[in-house]
């Protein structure tokens, strides 16, 4: 709050009202419902529900299918985050260095930010078309018969490639602005001290980018967990079958298709706890970031 | 060959080394740009070739003459039997969603941030926490109960039900709060001495001061709203209200089946679905980058 504020009794209440009303109705009410129904078992035919305590949660952690989905989600998140961050960092370092065409490169490398995830999924289906997809043909050069939606691993790889493609721009923008905020004096001092460009990168630039990197780590993790839904759903075309799915996708499938409201709610709550942990971790990193800059 | 003998060998080697460094930088960037651009070029190339041919051969480097007929089909033709989800009608719904979301979000969160920063409120801390807890849980996590609440309120198949629940998070409020806190206190003091009330101060001083911030947030929110997928898929079942991004699912499903898949039209609909947000991001690049990197999400 400001030192010099206004004194008014009703105006601030009136100003806050729209935001608070929307949040209460569309955030706290649903969140509370998820928490509540995660302790109930709902009758599939709509004849009421019974309190079952932690049974929904226990059922979740005993289900091999759920654990498999969780395992895939972890692998998927790690791969997407790693490749999206490292490719973007490489491109940002180069884009920061070149003298000619810097603006054009920047535009060409960042426009994909605005592409909706389902469109990325649609493109994936075309480039991995069984008959003539360019990437199918590329993998065929190595004798790899690539089958998206038919083979578990191949589908997973296609999902990772598409998700990385979609996420590079955000990381690129943040890394580039991080690089550009490194003071000129620091760069010049490093240039005098060390002639090797790669040594300069690892001992000076990389540590200075670490705060940006930590922040992006969280952003990429949430992206891989939640924002890839549309991409995955488009690739699977409504029919997961034996293909890999992420935890968020499972919440949706079990809640809407399977009509397992209790189990789906329990999954929601597990994800809520996960996001909560990530956010706490993020706040700690932000604290650290202040010391860096 | 004659030139080489004229220059000293050491100098020559140095000149060449610097050159190679720049060449490799450009090579990496060109490879990156190709990786990002190729899918878009491919979608458009495919739309210029007759569908029957594409079905056999796939994308190539050839440019055909089917582009404009396919554009017409994409804009005016419908995906489903009802005939209500044409490219144009989906474009309209997407616009309503993108603009409605961005405007709604900015108005609501600016008002809330103003109340939190500039007023002495007894329950200010409580309201602050109530609002900022929403940063923790994305809509995807509480999707099923959110749907049930929207259904109970009778908001299915309405633009209100589509837009309002998406606004229920504090990203923009948080951002405006940070910005308002950075505005010097002297401005309020001066305004008060000059006799300006809270409403006048907000409209005549704070809003004009925030212009750049509003533009930056607007771009990010428009892209976010336009690109929504899961929520529209659940809330809107009325085909005349389908958005483009939501329609992608129908588009993909139409590529399956025994008849000749309409690649030309489908690809152009996908291009149409990315065109407005991409245009906004490219044309307002400076504001967009500023908004993205300074809001820290």
């Amino acid at each position: 709050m400001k030192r010099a504020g206004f004194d008014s009794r009703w105006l601030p209440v009136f100003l806050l009202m729209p935001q608070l009303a929307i949040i209460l109705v569309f955030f706290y009410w649903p969140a509370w419902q998820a928490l509540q129904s995660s302790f109930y078992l709902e009758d599939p035919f709509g004849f009421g529900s019974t309190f079952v305590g932690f049974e929904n949660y226990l059922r979740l952690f005993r289900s091999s299918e759920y654990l498999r989905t969780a395992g895939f989600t972890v692998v998927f998140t790690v791969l997407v985050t790693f490749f999206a961050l490292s490719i973007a960092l490489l491109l940002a370092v180069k884009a920061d260095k070149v003298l000619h065409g810097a603006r054009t490169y920047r535009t060409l490398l960042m426009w994909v930010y605005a592409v909706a995830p389902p469109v990325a999924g649609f493109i994936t289906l075309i480039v991995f078309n069984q008959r003539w997809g360019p990437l199918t043909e590329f993998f065929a050069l190595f004798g790899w018969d690539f089958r998206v939606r038919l083979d578990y691993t191949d589908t997973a790889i296609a999902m990772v490639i598409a998700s990385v493609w979609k996420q590079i721009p955000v990381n690129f923008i943040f890394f580039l602005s991080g690089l550009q905020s490194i003071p000129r004096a620091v760069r010049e001092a490093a240039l005098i001290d060390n002639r090797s460009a790669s040594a300069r990168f690892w001992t000076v630039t990389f540590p200075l980018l670490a705060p940006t990197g930590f922040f992006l780590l969280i952003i990429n993790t949430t992206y891989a967990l939640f924002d890839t839904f549309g991409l995955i759903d488009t690739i699977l075309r409504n029919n997961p079958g034996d293909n890999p799915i992420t935890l968020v996708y499972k919440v949706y499938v079990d809640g809407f298709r399977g009509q397992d409201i209790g189990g789906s709610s329990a999954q929601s709550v597990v994800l809520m706890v996960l996001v909560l942990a990530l956010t706490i971790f993020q706040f700690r990193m932000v604290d650290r970031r202040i010391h860096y800059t | 060959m004659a030139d080489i003998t004229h220059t000293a060998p050491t100098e020559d080697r140095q000149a060449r080394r610097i050159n190679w460094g720049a060449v490799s930088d450009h090579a990496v960037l060109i490879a990156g740009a190709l990786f990002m651009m190729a899918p878009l070029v491919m979608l458009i190339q495919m739309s210029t070739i007759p569908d029957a041919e594409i079905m056999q051969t796939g994308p190539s480097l050839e440019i055909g003459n089917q582009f404009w007929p396919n554009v017409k089909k994409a804009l005016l033709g419908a995906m489903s039997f009802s005939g209500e989800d044409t490219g144009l009608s989906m474009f309209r719904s997407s616009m309503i969603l993108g603009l409605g979301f961005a405007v709604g979000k900015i108005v609501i969160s600016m008002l809330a941030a103003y109340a939190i920063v500039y007023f002495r409120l007894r329950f200010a801390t409580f309201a602050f926490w109530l609002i900022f807890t929403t940063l923790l849980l994305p809509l995807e996590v509480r999707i099923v109960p959110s749907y049930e609440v929207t259904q109970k309120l009778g908001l299915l198949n309405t633009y209100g039900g589509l837009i309002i629940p998406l606004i229920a998070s504090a990203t923009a409020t948080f951002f405006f709060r940070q910005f308002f806190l950075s505005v010097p206190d002297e401005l309020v003091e001066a305004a008060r001495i000059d006799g300006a009330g809270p409403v006048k101060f907000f409209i005549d001083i704070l809003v004009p001061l925030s212009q750049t911030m509003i533009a930056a947030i607007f771009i990010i929110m428009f892209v976010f709203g336009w690109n929504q997928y899961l929520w529209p898929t659940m809330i809107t079942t009325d085909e005349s209200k389908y958005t483009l991004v939501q329609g992608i699912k129908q588009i993909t499903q139409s590529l399956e089946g025994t008849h000749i898949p309409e690649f030309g039209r489908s690809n152009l609909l996908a291009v149409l679905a990315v065109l407005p947000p991409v245009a906004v991001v490219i044309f307002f690049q400076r504001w967009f980058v500023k908004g993205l990197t300074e809001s820290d999400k």
Side-chain angles (χ1 to χ4, degrees):
Chain A
M1 212 196 78
K2 291 271 180 187
R3 197 154 37 84
F6 291 104
D7 293 305
S8 170
R9 223 181 144 77
W10 295 111
L11 188 65
V13 179
F14 174 73
L15 292 172
L16 273 171
M17 214 33 108
Q19 172 105 61
L20 287 181
I22 289 179
I23 282 177
L24 286 178
V25 174
F26 292 106
F27 183 88
Y28 284 101
W29 188 9
W32 170 250
Q33 284 218 319
L35 195 64
Q36 206 181 21
S37 52
S38 73
F39 294 108
Y40 283 84
L41 191 66
E42 201 152 312
D43 187 282
F45 301 104
F47 298 118
S49 47
T50 32
F51 183 78
V52 290
F54 282 95
E55 181 52 35
N56 285 325
Y57 293 91
L58 293 174
R59 190 155 52 94
L60 220 54
F61 292 113
R62 276 196 302 257
S63 147
S64 62
E65 197 199 337
Y66 185 75
L67 295 178
R68 192 183 186 209
T69 308
F72 171 73
T73 309
V74 171
V75 174
F76 175 77
T77 307
V78 169
L79 288 177
V80 169
T81 305
F82 175 77
F83 285 110
L85 280 177
S86 42
I87 296 173
L89 179 59
L90 174 72
L91 292 170
V93 168
K94 300 295 182 195
D96 184 45
K97 240 164 88 182
V98 294
L99 300 171
H100 299 289
R103 266 190 74 95
T104 315
Y105 285 130
R106 231 183 309 160
T107 307
L108 291 179
L109 289 169
M110 72 168 59
W111 68 275
V112 172
Y113 170 86
V115 171
V119 177
F122 174 77
I123 292 170
T124 313
L125 287 176
I126 290 190
V127 289
F128 283 107
N129 182 298
Q130 202 63 70
R131 198 189 301 205
W132 39 249
L135 285 183
T136 312
E137 286 178 350
F138 173 76
F139 283 110
L141 292 179
F142 306 97
W144 184 347
D145 183 19
F146 210 92
R147 291 165 173 271
V148 169
R149 298 179 66 232
L150 296 172
D151 182 277
Y152 185 91
T153 319
D154 292 354
T155 313
I157 291 171
M159 283 172 179
V160 170
I161 293 175
S163 308
V164 169
W165 179 76
K166 171 79 191 85
Q167 186 64 5
I168 284 175
V170 178
N171 298 341
F172 173 77
I173 292 166
F174 274 98
F175 276 136
L176 191 62
S177 91
L179 282 167
Q180 285 169 347
S181 68
I182 294 176
R184 209 185 175 75
V186 174
R187 292 180 186 223
E188 282 166 0
L191 199 63
I192 294 167
D193 284 347
N194 202 329
R195 281 183 64 98
S196 153
S198 73
R200 276 204 308 274
F201 175 78
W202 291 112
T203 56
V204 179
T205 317
F206 192 73
L208 282 172
L209 279 180
T212 312
F214 280 134
F215 168 73
L216 285 177
L217 204 61
I218 305 289
I219 295 290
N220 282 261
T221 309
T222 13
Y223 161 78
L225 285 175
F226 302 108
D227 300 341
T228 49
F229 178 92
L231 192 150
I232 292 173
D233 193 36
T234 316
I235 291 180
L236 300 180
R237 282 189 217 164
N238 245 345
N239 183 17
D242 281 333
N243 286 304
I245 55 171
T246 58
L247 288 172
V248 172
Y249 198 81
K250 199 166 162 51
V251 171
Y252 166 77
V253 170
D254 289 357
F256 277 94
R257 298 292 173 62
Q259 293 292 314
D260 176 12
I261 301 293
S264 171
S265 299
Q267 293 180 34
S268 285
V269 175
V270 170
L271 282 175
M272 287 180 195
V273 174
L274 195 68
V275 181
L276 203 69
L278 272 173
T279 313
I280 293 170
F281 182 68
Q282 180 183 3
F283 279 141
R284 298 219 155 158
M285 283 307 168
V286 170
D287 279 347
R288 233 163 109 178
R289 209 175 157 196
I290 294 163
H291 296 295
Y292 267 93
T293 41
Chain B
M1 289 308 273
D3 282 340
I4 291 170
T5 53
H6 281 288
T7 47
T10 48
E11 254 183 64
D12 183 45
R13 210 183 305 139
Q14 205 169 17
R16 222 180 254 176
R17 192 173 57 214
I18 292 162
N19 214 5
W20 280 119
V23 168
S24 84
D25 289 348
H26 282 279
V28 170
L29 287 169
I30 289 169
L34 275 179
F35 177 61
M36 302 314 275
M37 287 302 292
L40 184 71
V41 176
M42 183 194 72
L43 287 187
I44 295 171
Q45 185 275 328
M46 285 170 74
S47 72
T48 66
I49 307 288
D51 290 329
E53 205 176 306
I54 285 290
M55 196 179 76
Q56 297 298 326
T57 58
S60 63
L61 293 175
E62 186 191 338
I63 304 291
N65 58 2
Q66 292 297 304
F67 183 70
W68 293 112
N70 276 327
V71 167
K72 209 172 146 194
K73 258 202 283 182
L75 290 179
L76 302 175
M79 291 315 297
S80 68
F81 295 116
S82 73
E84 280 170 332
D85 48 350
T86 63
L88 282 178
S89 86
M90 291 196 282
F91 186 85
R92 201 197 58 209
S93 301
S94 284
M95 270 295 173
I96 294 174
L97 174 57
L99 293 176
F101 174 73
V103 171
K105 186 122 183 164
I106 286 174
V107 170
I108 283 171
S109 53
M110 270 188 95
L111 295 180
Y114 183 53
I116 289 174
V117 175
Y118 281 94
F119 288 87
R120 277 174 253 262
L121 263 178
R122 216 175 301 149
F123 61 99
T125 332
F126 177 65
F128 178 80
W129 283 110
L130 210 55
I131 292 173
F132 294 113
T133 310
T134 60
L135 286 173
L136 304 180
L137 299 178
L139 182 64
E140 285 84 353
V141 175
R142 52 197 160 85
I143 197 84
V144 181
S146 294
Y147 173 82
E148 284 171 350
V149 166
T150 312
Q151 187 184 30
K152 272 181 202 149
L153 296 173
L155 289 173
L156 295 184
N157 278 317
T158 64
Y159 287 118
L162 190 59
I163 295 169
I164 298 170
L166 288 172
I167 297 179
S169 93
T171 40
T173 316
F174 195 67
F175 181 65
F176 280 117
R177 173 181 170 268
Q178 302 293 82
F179 177 69
F180 289 164
L181 284 174
S182 75
V183 172
D185 283 356
E186 287 74 15
L187 273 178
V188 200
E189 284 162 13
R192 287 185 66 174
I193 291 167
D194 287 347
V199 177
K200 199 169 170 52
F201 174 74
F202 182 70
I203 294 171
D204 286 349
I205 298 175
L206 209 53
V207 172
L209 262 181
S210 324
Q211 259 172 6
T212 331
M213 300 295 145
I214 294 173
I217 290 280
F218 183 86
I219 293 164
I220 291 171
M221 291 304 159
F222 174 75
V223 173
F224 183 84
W226 178 285
N227 283 350
Q228 282 304 305
Y229 171 70
L230 178 56
W231 188 246
T233 308
M234 289 170 40
I235 294 304
T236 314
T237 44
D238 176 0
E239 281 163 355
S240 63
K241 289 202 177 87
Y242 270 20
T243 67
L244 278 166
V245 173
Q246 170 184 11
I248 293 292
K249 196 170 187 163
Q250 269 65 38
I251 294 168
T252 350
Q253 270 155 3
S254 77
L255 291 182
E256 268 178 311
T258 48
H259 59 286
I260 300 169
E262 292 185 291
F263 282 109
R265 183 167 74 145
S266 309
N267 287 7
L268 286 177
L269 279 171
V271 172
L272 187 64
V274 302
L275 210 58
V278 167
V280 166
V281 162
I282 290 177
F283 288 130
F284 305 105
Q285 208 179 99
R286 222 162 37 116
W287 287 346
F288 156 68
V289 170
K290 187 182 164 70
L292 193 69
T293 51
E294 283 180 16
S295 65
D296 278 7
K297 212 173 185 187

